Amino acid sequence: MPADWVVDTEADASGSGFFSVASSERALRVIQNNGRQQSTNEPLPAGEIGFLALRWPYLVDVFGLGQPGTPLVDVLQTMFGEQLATLGVALESTTIGEYPAATFFAADERSAGAIYALDLGVGGTLVLAFSAASEADYRVWEPTLLDLMASIDVGGDAVVHYLPSGVFSQRWSPDSQTYALAARYPLGEQPISVALYDRAGVQLAEVAGLGVSWNSDGSQAALFGDARSSAVPIIDTATGKALFTLGTGASSVRWSPDDRFIVAGDLRQALRIWDAATGQQLASLDPAQTWAFSPDGTRLAAWDIAGGTVRVIDLGTASEIWTAARASQFFTTIPEVSWSPDGALLFTVAPDGTPTLLDSATGAVAASFPPSAGMEFVSPLWRAAGLVLIYRNAECRAGDCRSEVVALDKNGVERARITQSDAVTAVLWNADGSQVVTATSFEALTVTTWDVATGAALWTTTLDGALSTFINPRWVGDHLLMETRSERTPLLNAATGDVIAVNEHGGPIRDVLLNADQSQMLVVGSSLVRVRAVGDGALLMTLPHTLEVIEAAWSTDETLIFTTTEGGTFTVWDAETGRMLTRIEDRSSVVATNLSLFAAVSPDGQQVSTYLSGSPYVRVWSVASRVDEARARIAGETQTVENLLDASDAAFDAQDYETMITVCLSALDIDPDNLIVHNSLAVAYYLSGELTRAVDTLRAAIAIDPTYIRSYRNLGDMYRRENSLPAARSAYEDGLNASTTDPDRAFFNNRIGLTYATTDDYAQAAQYFTRALELDPTVPIYFRNRGYMNYEQGEAFYAQAMADFERFVELAGADADAETVDLLATLRGD
């Protein structure tokens, strides 16, 4: 797109898809100054092409105009047939880039322009309209327009589905053998229909409903929510045939945890229970919108938001066991009903707002916990160890906050009552129920661990720079991981509260995910995904992106990492090496390049379904074949690159820097993002006397991965050898800021100290060497460097210099240099 064009987007309320509008800066000012609309959904008069009314370079592209393969002439005839007949304009068939196309040109006394329809294959049909002030202006813009359309790239081997009114959701079955696509209402964000497909893309069933649910192994599916037919088909996903039909139009259908029963209900329909094997209806009870199965799957607690009761139902007999009064949730924030982990108790809120535990066998009140004076109930938190209730004062909404946290054991017995002066936003039990962690975030993120037996605070830690309204603490082994939406994910020692790692991310954090054994975490935010070790926060790898990352996840077997971004990109990474394996891109809009791509990966990691924001096309791609091909290619490339690196090392040893450059360039042709090769090439350039090329190469490496410390080190060292000390210091400071471990921070502090030592600023140099030693006191050279700075400052510092030299000799042993050993002997008077 021309650099002087401004992009804007807006939804098309007519339901025909997504409109993307771009105009020149001049045109945008005209729109702003005159207050004119950029597009309209009003019907066009016969004989008038709407885009011709615009008097500036103006481009619109429209998705959702037909099934893939629809004849292009038919598409344009359907859209503009009446106007074309009135204007006497003929349609033409042509080719633009690799795509078949149809087009027509029209002009009047006000402006001129053209309409294009492109057959994008798996991308579906795309129609573009362009207008200018006159035919002469249009002809000037026409080459650029044709280049834009020719640049569209949506190639691939995807199965394509067309949902004319737009996509609401995409989901995979637990066994990865089927998937469901829900279409949305044209004028709203609600589903209008749902269809079930096998993994090859063959449709098995479709209803004008709301959603789909599967049993636990994915062998059966229910398509529900069609209130007009009041029927829910239960589909055998292997054959696509309906096993039986449930006579209900309920808005929610679910299997019990053991797959023995199917339950359906909403506010309008009765709550019904069926035998999942036969389809026989077992019970029809009063309407209920919401329900929760007991942990063992034998009972059901049912309620509706506006109602004042909760019922417990025995699924085996399909009969109601008891009914109890509860507070209505209508227009309130009172939490829903929830089971205790062992199923013995049921949490609810009594009609007077008091948090209450009911005996799940009888419905009798087991315990109630009225708030203290001036306090109101906020939320419950069940864990295996028990229940935590959080209360706040009513004035908290105005900023004057106090909180009370009540910890109950799994039998509902109060164990501790904790009071805090700020609003508690997160609570966490430890595994054995002996401690509770609270987090507040008024002016800073403050974390406190409490002894449940005594109610005493064991430790409190305040974390600067991690303030966030969202806090999700997690107990991981002996550590506490504090997930926030700031730019940090602090890792604390759970026993002492000491900060193990700050885990700077470099941008606002969107999500933090742990792998199965909780040894690694994915930190997602901004244009980065970082993989860190949970034990010490060490950075294991960075997955760089050019656009905002929307989601990231491990594959089920944790060998892959999936990421999706704005701009229409789905990427698969090798979880061990961080190497990109394959990337799927949807570039079907030439105007809007910031549209989000939504992706759903099958549980087995073999396939992914994607759709671009606003597009009616869902594409289902094979991930497995792409990954296999990539790994085979990378294996060959890796061996080749390793061979080339060996050749580069040999050329370095022989001081044959010209060969070294040639070999490294060949390696980068194969693996353009290889940071080791970038750094080797930079060294070769530098040793060949080409400082500028060396610096450019290192800056390119930093752009690829800003966390790769070696690039900063080499850049600073090159500048220091050239006596460009301010530039060297700047490179080392950048490396220090990018460092995530104390040894790396110590290294760069030492290097900065050397730049000051070169200019005889001994005191300043000594300060940086001291910082290096505070971060890593195991490196002998840091003591040696500080010793010389102390020695150079005169006799008053000789004692400190002697202590540093002694420690250096002790650590270095036989590797201690003779000059320093001799100077130490002189200071001692030996």
Side-chain angles (χ1 to χ4, degrees):
M1 177 160 303
D4 64 335
W5 283 32
V6 176
V7 173
D8 190 18
T9 60
E10 59 184 66
D12 170 31
S14 69
S16 63
F18 195 92
F19 279 77
S20 305
V21 180
S23 58
S24 68
E25 292 182 4
R26 176 181 65 82
L28 191 63
R29 285 195 294 272
V30 171
I31 295 171
Q32 292 170 336
N33 292 339
N34 297 342
R36 293 188 59 176
Q37 292 183 342
Q38 293 176 327
S39 66
T40 177
N41 295 315
E42 296 297 324
L44 294 175
E48 181 174 338
I49 305 295
F51 74 93
L52 292 179
L54 302 171
R55 297 176 176 273
W56 45 77
Y58 186 92
L59 176 67
V60 58
D61 60 11
V62 187
F63 290 106
L65 302 168
Q67 293 279 8
T70 302
L72 300 175
V73 172
D74 291 352
V75 172
L76 291 185
Q77 192 66 41
T78 299
M79 293 182 66
F80 302 107
E82 185 178 355
Q83 290 87 350
L84 289 171
T86 303
L87 292 171
V89 176
L91 292 170
E92 298 179 8
S93 296
T94 184
T95 299
I96 299 176
E98 62 181 89
Y99 302 116
T103 182
F104 69 85
F105 174 83
D108 60 19
E109 69 279 0
R110 297 170 300 173
S111 57
I115 298 286
Y116 297 88
L118 282 74
D119 183 351
L120 303 181
V122 299
T125 303
L126 183 68
V127 172
L128 300 99
F130 181 83
S131 72
S134 65
E135 181 173 355
D137 283 351
Y138 168 75
R139 298 302 176 191
V140 171
W141 284 104
E142 187 177 34
T144 300
L145 177 65
L146 294 173
D147 287 343
L148 284 173
M149 290 186 286
S151 71
I152 299 173
D153 180 12
V154 290
D157 55 352
V159 174
V160 186
H161 301 284
Y162 172 61
L163 285 66
S165 61
V167 184
F168 177 77
S169 66
Q170 51 188 354
R171 292 181 59 204
W172 283 88
S173 63
D175 62 353
S176 303
Q177 298 304 305
T178 57
Y179 58 92
L181 303 177
R184 66 174 176 85
Y185 278 104
L187 299 179
E189 293 302 319
Q190 293 294 325
I192 189 174
S193 65
V194 60
L196 182 70
Y197 301 87
D198 67 18
R199 64 182 299 133
V202 177
Q203 188 179 103
L204 303 178
E206 181 177 18
V207 300
L210 302 175
V212 63
S213 62
W214 287 272
N215 62 351
S216 61
D217 65 5
S219 62
Q220 296 179 16
L223 280 66
F224 57 83
D226 185 358
R228 290 172 295 179
S229 68
S230 294
V232 175
I234 303 300
I235 306 298
D236 181 328
T237 57
T239 65
K241 295 181 178 180
L243 299 173
F244 47 83
T245 299
L246 309 182
T248 180
S251 60
S252 183
V253 177
R254 278 182 285 164
W255 271 263
S256 62
D258 59 6
D259 285 340
R260 293 175 56 206
F261 305 101
I262 301 175
V263 180
D266 62 18
L267 282 176
R268 299 176 302 277
Q269 302 280 333
L271 178 70
R272 294 186 171 97
I273 302 173
W274 286 269
D275 185 306
T278 65
Q280 178 185 357
Q281 182 173 303
L282 303 177
S284 178
L285 308 168
D286 291 339
Q289 184 183 39
T290 311
W291 61 86
F293 292 102
S294 63
D296 63 3
T298 62
R299 290 169 294 168
L300 189 75
W303 66 98
D304 63 73
I305 291 176
T309 61
V310 58
R311 292 168 285 150
V312 170
I313 299 159
D314 185 311
L315 289 173
T317 62
S319 60
E320 195 172 285
I321 303 174
W322 54 261
T323 299
R326 64 179 292 273
S328 168
Q329 288 178 250
F330 203 59
F331 297 129
T332 76
T333 58
I334 295 173
E336 297 182 351
V337 175
S338 56
W339 293 88
S340 63
D342 62 4
L345 298 170
L346 198 69
F347 172 83
T348 186
V349 178
D352 64 358
T354 301
T356 302
L357 288 174
L358 304 178
D359 184 314
S360 66
T362 65
V365 174
S368 61
F369 305 92
S372 303
M375 306 295 281
E376 57 186 17
F377 177 61
V378 178
S379 63
L381 175 68
W382 277 113
R383 289 294 183 266
L387 176 66
V388 171
L389 306 175
I390 303 176
Y391 303 82
R392 290 183 196 156
N393 61 320
E395 294 77 16
C396 189
R397 301 184 189 92
D400 178 19
C401 288
R402 302 187 312 279
S403 297
E404 194 170 67
V405 176
V406 178
L408 316 172
D409 65 20
K410 61 183 180 181
N411 298 315
V413 177
E414 182 174 326
R415 298 281 305 281
R417 189 173 288 260
I418 299 163
T419 302
Q420 291 198 253
S421 57
D422 291 327
V424 172
T425 53
V427 179
L428 180 69
W429 282 100
N430 69 343
D432 63 7
S434 62
Q435 296 176 11
V436 168
V437 175
T438 62
T440 64
S441 58
F442 177 53
E443 294 179 339
L445 174 55
T446 301
V447 185
T448 306
T449 293
W450 307 83
D451 185 290
V452 172
T454 65
L458 301 177
W459 55 259
T460 296
T461 297
T462 298
L463 300 165
D464 296 329
L467 187 61
S468 171
T469 56
F470 175 89
I471 305 170
N472 180 26
R474 307 185 201 180
W475 215 297
V476 185
D478 297 329
H479 300 340
L480 275 174
L481 178 65
M482 305 300 298
E483 179 186 355
T484 75
R485 292 296 177 262
S486 69
E487 296 188 9
R488 297 179 173 183
T489 303
L491 187 66
L492 309 180
N493 183 312
T496 65
D498 294 337
V499 178
I500 298 171
V502 173
N503 295 335
E504 292 279 4
H505 186 68
I509 294 170
R510 180 187 290 264
D511 201 3
V512 178
L513 303 99
L514 297 175
N515 65 344
D517 66 3
Q518 299 189 327
S519 62
Q520 296 181 14
M521 56 179 161
L522 279 181
V523 185
V524 184
S526 189
S527 59
L528 293 172
V529 175
R530 300 191 191 275
V531 184
R532 293 185 179 275
V534 172
D536 58 5
L539 182 64
L540 303 178
M541 65 184 75
T542 297
L543 311 180
H545 299 71
T546 57
L547 296 169
E548 182 82 13
V549 179
I550 300 171
E551 288 182 310
W554 271 287
S555 61
T556 304
D557 61 5
E558 298 184 359
T559 61
L560 304 172
I561 296 173
F562 306 118
T563 61
T564 58
T565 71
E566 290 184 347
T569 299
F570 172 81
T571 308
V572 183
W573 311 79
D574 187 295
E576 182 178 355
T577 65
R579 183 82 179 264
M580 187 185 76
L581 298 176
T582 186
R583 176 167 287 165
I584 293 170
E585 296 185 279
D586 189 327
R587 300 297 187 195
S588 52
S589 173
V590 300
V591 176
T593 58
N594 63 339
L595 304 179
S596 297
L597 185 76
F598 297 96
V601 181
S602 60
D604 63 6
Q606 300 289 299
Q607 292 179 284
V608 60
S609 60
T610 67
Y611 69 93
L612 195 66
S613 174
S615 170
Y617 297 110
V618 178
R619 300 177 180 91
V620 182
W621 314 79
S622 170
V623 173
S625 60
R626 289 167 174 261
V627 168
D628 290 344
E629 291 170 4
R631 282 184 165 152
R633 184 192 73 250
I634 290 171
E637 291 176 352
T638 300
Q639 186 59 54
T640 302
V641 170
E642 289 177 354
N643 293 340
L644 289 170
L645 280 172
D646 289 341
S648 172
D649 292 342
F652 175 81
D653 294 338
Q655 299 183 13
D656 184 357
Y657 305 127
E658 183 176 345
T659 297
M660 189 176 175
I661 291 171
T662 301
V663 168
C664 287
L665 289 173
S666 297
L668 287 180
D669 286 340
I670 299 171
D671 186 1
D673 293 342
N674 191 301
L675 298 173
I676 297 175
V677 177
H678 272 279
N679 277 265
S680 296
L681 177 60
V683 170
Y685 278 139
Y686 177 75
L687 294 175
S688 298
E690 298 187 62
L691 176 62
T692 300
R693 284 191 173 183
V695 168
D696 289 346
T697 302
L698 289 172
R699 295 211 179 278
I702 291 170
I704 293 169
D705 186 353
T707 66
Y708 190 66
I709 300 304
R710 184 175 175 182
S711 302
Y712 301 102
R713 170 181 176 171
N714 284 334
L715 183 59
D717 287 352
M718 289 176 188
Y719 278 131
R720 188 161 60 89
R721 288 189 177 93
E722 295 297 313
N723 209 34
S724 298
L725 298 180
R729 195 172 298 137
S730 177
Y732 291 144
E733 288 171 347
D734 288 343
L736 178 61
N737 292 331
S739 297
T740 58
T741 66
D742 285 347
D744 285 339
R745 296 186 185 99
F747 172 86
F748 284 109
N749 273 291
N750 179 68
R751 280 295 205 266
I752 295 170
L754 292 176
T755 67
Y756 286 106
T758 303
T759 58
D760 297 337
D761 190 346
Y762 304 127
Q764 187 73 9
Q767 289 182 18
Y768 277 97
F769 295 143
T770 298
R771 292 175 191 171
L773 285 167
E774 290 170 350
L775 291 163
D776 189 356
T778 66
V779 180
I781 195 69
Y782 301 165
F783 286 99
R784 179 184 183 276
N785 290 343
R786 189 175 67 176
Y788 275 101
M789 295 305 97
N790 286 326
Y791 176 75
E792 294 292 348
Q793 291 182 76
E795 190 172 346
F797 293 86
Y798 281 0
Q800 296 176 40
M802 186 167 61
D804 283 335
F805 290 147
E806 287 174 343
R807 184 61 176 152
F808 163 68
V809 171
E810 179 185 352
L811 290 173
D815 293 330
D817 62 283
E819 179 184 357
T820 304
V821 172
D822 291 344
L823 180 55
L824 175 59
T826 301
L827 290 173
R828 285 175 172 169
D830 295 345

